[in-house]
Amino acid sequence: MSSTYGENLKLSIFGQSHSPAIGMVLDGIPAGLPVDTQRLQEFLNRRAPGQNDYSTPRREEDSPEFLGGILDGFTCGAPIAAVIRNRNTRSGDYANLRDCPRPGHADYTAQIKYGGFQDYAGGGHFSGRLTAPLCIAGGLCKQWLEERGIRIGARIASIAGETDDIDLDPLHPQLDLIGKDFPVFSPASGERMRAKIAQARTEGDSVGGIVECFITALPAGLGEPMFGGVESRIAQIVYGIPAVKSVDFGAGYACAYMRGSQCNDAFTVENGTVRTLTNHSGGILGGITTGTPVIFQAAFKPTPSISRPQQSVSLSQSQIQELSVRGRHDPCIVPRAVPVVEAAAAIAIFDLILGNTQTDRRK
Amino acid sequence: MSSTYGENLKLSIFGQSHSPAIGMVLDGIPAGLPVDTQRLQEFLNRRAPGQNDYSTPRREEDSPEFLGGILDGFTCGAPIAAVIRNRNTRSGDYANLRDCPRPGHADYTAQIKYGGFQDYAGGGHFSGRLTAPLCIAGGLCKQWLEERGIRIGARIASIAGETDDIDLDPLHPQLDLIGKDFPVFSPASGERMRAKIAQARTEGDSVGGIVECFITALPAGLGEPMFGGVESRIAQIVYGIPAVKSVDFGAGYACAYMRGSQCNDAFTVENGTVRTLTNHSGGILGGITTGTPVIFQAAFKPTPSISRPQQSVSLSQSQIQELSVRGRHDPCIVPRAVPVVEAAAAIAIFDLILGNTQTDRRK
Amino acid sequence: MSSTYGENLKLSIFGQSHSPAIGMVLDGIPAGLPVDTQRLQEFLNRRAPGQNDYSTPRREEDSPEFLGGILDGFTCGAPIAAVIRNRNTRSGDYANLRDCPRPGHADYTAQIKYGGFQDYAGGGHFSGRLTAPLCIAGGLCKQWLEERGIRIGARIASIAGETDDIDLDPLHPQLDLIGKDFPVFSPASGERMRAKIAQARTEGDSVGGIVECFITALPAGLGEPMFGGVESRIAQIVYGIPAVKSVDFGAGYACAYMRGSQCNDAFTVENGTVRTLTNHSGGILGGITTGTPVIFQAAFKPTPSISRPQQSVSLSQSQIQELSVRGRHDPCIVPRAVPVVEAAAAIAIFDLILGNTQTDRRK
Amino acid sequence: MSSTYGENLKLSIFGQSHSPAIGMVLDGIPAGLPVDTQRLQEFLNRRAPGQNDYSTPRREEDSPEFLGGILDGFTCGAPIAAVIRNRNTRSGDYANLRDCPRPGHADYTAQIKYGGFQDYAGGGHFSGRLTAPLCIAGGLCKQWLEERGIRIGARIASIAGETDDIDLDPLHPQLDLIGKDFPVFSPASGERMRAKIAQARTEGDSVGGIVECFITALPAGLGEPMFGGVESRIAQIVYGIPAVKSVDFGAGYACAYMRGSQCNDAFTVENGTVRTLTNHSGGILGGITTGTPVIFQAAFKPTPSISRPQQSVSLSQSQIQELSVRGRHDPCIVPRAVPVVEAAAAIAIFDLILGNTQTDRRK
């Protein structure tokens, strides 16, 4: 009941950081949807480590093998299953984690929950590596949404307090402006962020940041009331990404400081179509899309793995113990998290579209 | 698939603002749990309107009638069903909403989604009134959690920019300090908030705010990996409360501005038990409770209903039309939202407890 | 997790035999579907007791009150909620059931499961009376299916070994021939069945029988592979009807005695459309509809409540005790079960139709 | 939404007959449960073909590779994932199935549902080969049930009208008597069944049969009311096995021919424990286990693939066409279906046990 998601599609993610493979099963997808594996690989590459100076030099090959569900470039109606083999075999790097949990990681809670039976190597099932199969599912959903004209793009809104200087028009976000390699709008802001990351790395520390995601050309009327609203569905899956500590929509937190006369998005008519003059709601009213772009932000805490010594405990001896996390880790996961946030959003939106019973009423 | 929640318990909420009744069914609850209807009524009264100067003078009686599931003061294993009759019959107050949607409300999206068949009176199924049955379910779950020593309490963290001056110790929040009527820690802060609300009312406007919720004495090990984590489950239901635009956990948004060495909660040993020195994580690591209090915040936008004129459109004539929302509405829903947030948290936590398979492994 | 059903719609049934009311919530129904409450009442009357010589003389009024979800004769998109008040208040009739369980009833298993907290009066939540809200939901789904040309009709196939003499053409069942009051094709067979029921009543005993259900004009391609097949979905809900001990499809049990060359339904072409020459499969191949009528049978055990003395036990004294079930009970529930089987089928089929993603693939 | 099962555990099955692999993900399993892979392999071998004279001579190696969820011989709390590579690559054997559907198979319905995009080779996702991953999941659940003393065993009750002569005591079935290779109680009956199979093979035809399954030492009180009853849950998954056309419990169909005084299982007291004198109910009352063995029967239609010519149609030319199914196929799948039925039962029962909230009520 843990690593599955979806009301209409059913996504099941499996594997651990050092198990033979990680992978996913995506059930409930209609037959006949095209699958472009090369574009999928390009999408996965955006998440893969070892490609630039701000991420870990570890080398992972995130090339999925499809075991079922796809035939001659189209979905065939059967569940889509894909695996990625883990190249890094179990090593001694993590041997002591069983006794001395890393602060900020799930080592301690896994120990309590699974009573010592958990796979502790590399964080096991809690590893950020599990976002790779999430990106397989999300990359596919993203393609199918694009077929309907729906686009999803995310940018780094801030890292270590350095914000992307360029504001997007929340009514007409120009997603093409987002940089591919380091997805910000303002190259100067991007430079400042990279400098902060480099500095943290030098100091054996890490930094966090905020990812902002835009979904455009969504039909109005998507989503269900109460617990099936777009916010509920997106928040549920985005909080499944490791290190996310905040999810908000539209003006989000800032709404709490506005007056109603300011926060309400006034309606207008544009070429015979109802529009809003602003987009504080993030394209969602009553949990249902307005047709205006859906915008949300996810805040990521700094990478918990830092080489600087930290205070932990020895569980066996029940006493304080200093810990230095060895190995090579991203001083900032935010750049690699950008496609993961897009993937999560794509899955949530495609799930909502599959379940949209709106058109039935006129049959 | 919309107004239901839960993995182990199943909550189904029904009714519209002006339908004969609103209510809920809560299925999957074990038999033999005590039900104190008087304490439940006291809890519901905290949400009920018309009890003080900052809420609407409309009078509602939120006295649930239990139709099944409870016998002689205990749950009997059958689904628990309760209804609250709506006293306000359908009136002319809302007749024009069908054509002229209120900004910030679900009028427009409901029109698109339901093609004119929706119940538009008083917001229909999207009305804040639907939080009353949520509070029935949540009030019951709260009692059952208290039986296990788990306490849930929320406060107003801020209204209209006025914050509750007193910081709570995130490791040992003293929930008893929360005021009952206007739930803040600092009476002086409360006065400033009330003043801001009164001012907004005078100006025909409204204000928003932030509710902070604490859950204490949770066992460590609760929650599931990935999409079944405590954050995912709480966020899903809290985003089901109308007007919520942000949900974050622990230090939340602020984590994005911290260094890892600062954000990580160092472990220590206290009387032989593992504890953390800080609680930036909000009591959750890898989606699983650490045993430290779970803390989250929900930001509410200002009440969309304001008497001040707003720009809307006539859907039938496809042209701009000025709208003044008549009737009496809360200039700030935050005080009444406090028990609703507690209710949502109680449902999410009790659901997780029912599904906790942790103990099975040692059988 | 018990009394809810559905993948796309969500049905939640509540109440006990002697609680204030019984009822149902049906969520996930599109807006704009017409609701004919008079036809619904006629359908519910088919299940109601006290209308003829072969059922209990108890008088129940199964008139649902709709609390939400319906507006001006159409569904409004909100969950549909309806209740039926229980007229029979708790009486002394059932006081001793707590200690001395009725053979064939759920008294004993409820006692074990709920530890004495269960509502034992009249069978509580296990009472056949709970099929009334099932018929509200099913009666509505039946109307919506009929709008699409899909018809569901069931007959008594046999009672106490007396079979309905007239075989239906499984490719073109003439549902109009089914008698309304006592739904058999052959009046003579009906007379023989009634005689057997009357005889059982005279002897303080009861009889069982078989209901056969036909669903016509279903589109081909409905249903999902493996556990989401039409058989799985229908069987799950039909086994939710009290007293059902067997569910089979098409030739059912008899398939086990056939050769493949006989059992396989050969394909043919009829006016350019693919048809089968026989219908041993019951209109389902691989869990998916062929377009041929879906046919299934449900076998009901005899009413467990009989006035004739039976051997039971005193749970408190842990010794054998003779039991005579007092009160007035149907000597045969099969005639009243016919609309219940139709209702269950209608819910399962409408759920499948709502989830049918078939058409999406060509968009 | 198709190939997933479970309320508390989540089973997801994937793959097609000729895709690179088939497999399963089993989520929601507690950590610390032992896994005996050798016993699992022995269980899988019972289903594997090519081991005896009555099944297809095709050779399959059903050796699962575990990709995650198991560590050092125990479940680790992460989802359990396993795959079996398909050795038989796509061949020309099935090329014409796309146009000329095999009677009794899902070829036609898949064509309608998936619009020609389906994987038609070897039946694709509808192939009986998909019962191999079902047996992985079921074989594991069976081990975990045995740890609790719960045993599941099935026998061939009949093939081609030849019944296993020896009746089992439904109160105390001696599962050890079941033959391993050809699971019947009476060797003589087994011989007659084999003869019937051999005869059908010689004649290019096939035969069906009935599998009877016994579950012993189940605790009383398992199962939920209405749609969550043991019958509903078992029937849903057993109908997911290809070729099943009937599922019944206890005396099943025969109940419809009994009097209440005969069908009701009278209670008695045996060494201070409540027991029943008979077991017509199949160990289930009100959907909940009585503590008496659960017994059910599943009827399998004859293998649809027969070498004898059959009438089919050419879909492209919309005309009748004769079809001889080439390749080597089991003239009777019943012997190989026996472990599959056990696997399905084990999954359903373990799912119920995981969700059993019974003990919570006394905390």
Side-chain angles (χ1 to χ4, degrees), chain C residues 309-361:
Chain C
Q310 299 178 82
Q311 177 178 325
S312 182
V313 292
S314 160
L315 296 176
S316 60
Q317 297 171 36
S318 205
Q319 64 180 35
I320 292 171
Q321 182 174 313
E322 194 183 86
L323 174 77
S324 293
V325 180
R326 287 172 298 173
R328 293 164 295 189
H329 299 280
D330 291 3
C332 181
I333 54 162
V334 176
R336 290 178 59 201
V338 170
V340 180
V341 169
E342 293 178 4
I347 294 164
I349 294 298
F350 196 68
D351 186 32
L352 281 165
I353 283 178
L354 286 180
N356 194 11
T357 54
Q358 198 177 346
T359 52
D360 280 302
R361 77 166 182 277

Side-chain angles (χ1 to χ4, degrees), chain A residues 130-217:
Chain A
L130 271 292
T131 57
L134 188 73
C135 281
I136 299 174
L140 293 171
C141 290
K142 207 162 176 271
Q143 292 186 9
W144 302 326
L145 291 172
E146 280 167 15
E147 271 229 315
R148 294 161 184 247
I150 300 168
R151 291 194 57 199
I152 296 182
R155 67 153 162 182
I156 303 169
S158 79
I159 282 181
E162 296 292 341
T163 61
D164 187 359
D165 277 349
I166 298 179
D167 280 342
L168 271 198
D169 177 356
L171 293 167
H172 305 284
Q174 293 174 270
L175 302 184
D176 296 327
L177 294 181
I178 305 181
K180 283 288 177 195
D181 176 42
F182 193 91
V184 293
F185 285 92
S186 153
S189 302
E191 282 313 305
R192 282 195 300 273
M193 293 175 191
R194 285 172 196 259
K196 284 285 180 76
I197 296 172
Q199 188 185 349
R201 178 202 297 276
T202 304
E203 298 173 14
D205 214 332
S206 64
V207 292
I210 293 165
V211 173
E212 188 174 33
C213 187
F214 305 87
I215 312 169
T216 62

Side-chain angles (χ1 to χ4, degrees), chain C residues 6-354:
Chain C
E7 293 290 315
N8 306 290
L9 57 79
K10 292 287 176 196
L11 172 63
S12 184
I13 286 181
F14 60 84
Q16 299 109 250
S17 179
H18 287 60
S19 67
I22 54 177
M24 62 109 232
V25 181
L26 186 60
D27 196 0
I29 303 299
L33 297 174
V35 171
D36 183 333
T37 51
Q38 188 178 332
R39 272 175 60 216
L40 178 64
Q41 188 61 58
E42 288 164 14
F43 180 71
L44 293 175
N45 289 346
R46 291 175 55 198
R47 194 211 73 90
Q51 309 199 347
N52 43 49
D53 60 331
Y54 51 84
S55 74
T56 167
R58 274 186 303 136
R59 173 115 189 93
E60 300 176 36
E61 275 182 26
D62 284 355
S63 294
E65 180 193 10
F66 285 95
L67 302 181
I70 296 176
L71 189 68
D72 301 334
F74 289 88
T75 59
C76 71
I80 301 168
V83 292
I84 298 172
R85 291 277 157 182
N86 281 325
R87 307 284 177 207
N88 287 333
T89 52
R90 197 170 302 275
S91 72
D93 271 27
Y94 301 98
N96 67 325
L97 296 184
R98 199 166 199 161
D99 188 51
C100 184
R102 295 169 298 175
H105 275 290
D107 300 338
Y108 174 68
T109 51
Q111 171 70 24
I112 294 292
K113 187 171 188 71
Y114 303 119
F117 291 104
Q118 75 277 11
D119 185 354
Y120 51 87
H125 188 57
F126 296 90
S127 166
R129 178 141 178 73
L130 271 293
T131 57
L134 188 73
C135 281
I136 299 175
L140 292 171
C141 291
K142 207 162 176 268
Q143 292 187 9
W144 303 326
L145 290 171
E146 281 168 13
E147 271 230 316
R148 295 162 184 247
I150 300 168
R151 290 194 58 198
I152 297 182
R155 68 153 162 182
I156 303 169
S158 78
I159 282 180
E162 295 292 341
T163 60
D164 187 0
D165 276 349
I166 298 179
D167 280 342
L168 271 199
D169 177 355
L171 293 168
H172 305 283
Q174 293 173 269
L175 303 185
D176 295 326
L177 294 181
I178 304 180
K180 283 288 176 196
D181 176 43
F182 193 92
V184 292
F185 286 91
S186 154
S189 302
E191 282 315 303
R192 283 196 298 274
M193 294 177 192
R194 285 172 197 257
K196 283 285 180 78
I197 296 172
Q199 187 185 348
R201 179 201 297 277
T202 305
E203 298 173 14
D205 215 332
S206 63
V207 292
I210 293 166
V211 173
E212 188 173 33
C213 187
F214 304 87
I215 311 170
T216 62
L218 270 178
L222 210 63
E224 304 292 331
M226 300 204 76
F227 316 119
V230 176
E231 292 109 327
S232 286
R233 302 284 275 271
I234 287 180
Q236 189 196 349
I237 191 166
V238 172
Y239 269 121
I241 304 171
V244 171
K245 297 306 284 184
S246 170
V247 177
D248 67 7
F249 292 83
Y253 229 80
C255 292
Y257 300 87
M258 293 180 181
R259 281 285 184 92
S261 56
Q262 175 191 12
C263 187
N264 286 348
D265 297 312
F267 288 111
T268 189
V269 175
E270 214 175 271
N271 301 325
T273 307
V274 176
R275 293 273 178 258
T276 55
L277 292 174
T278 50
N279 189 11
H280 298 124
S281 74
I284 305 164
L285 286 175
I288 298 174
T289 55
T290 61
T292 305
V294 164
I295 305 175
F296 70 91
Q297 295 196 319
F300 288 78
K301 67 179 183 183
T303 320
S305 292
I306 54 175
S307 56
R308 181 182 283 214
Q310 299 178 82
Q311 177 178 325
S312 182
V313 292
S314 160
L315 296 176
S316 60
Q317 297 171 36
S318 205
Q319 64 180 35
I320 292 171
Q321 182 174 313
E322 194 183 86
L323 174 77
S324 293
V325 180
R326 287 172 298 173
R328 293 164 295 189
H329 299 280
D330 291 3
C332 181
I333 54 162
V334 176
R336 290 178 59 201
V338 170
V340 180
V341 169
E342 293 178 4
I347 294 164
I349 294 298
F350 196 68
D351 186 32
L352 281 165
I353 283 178
L354 286 180

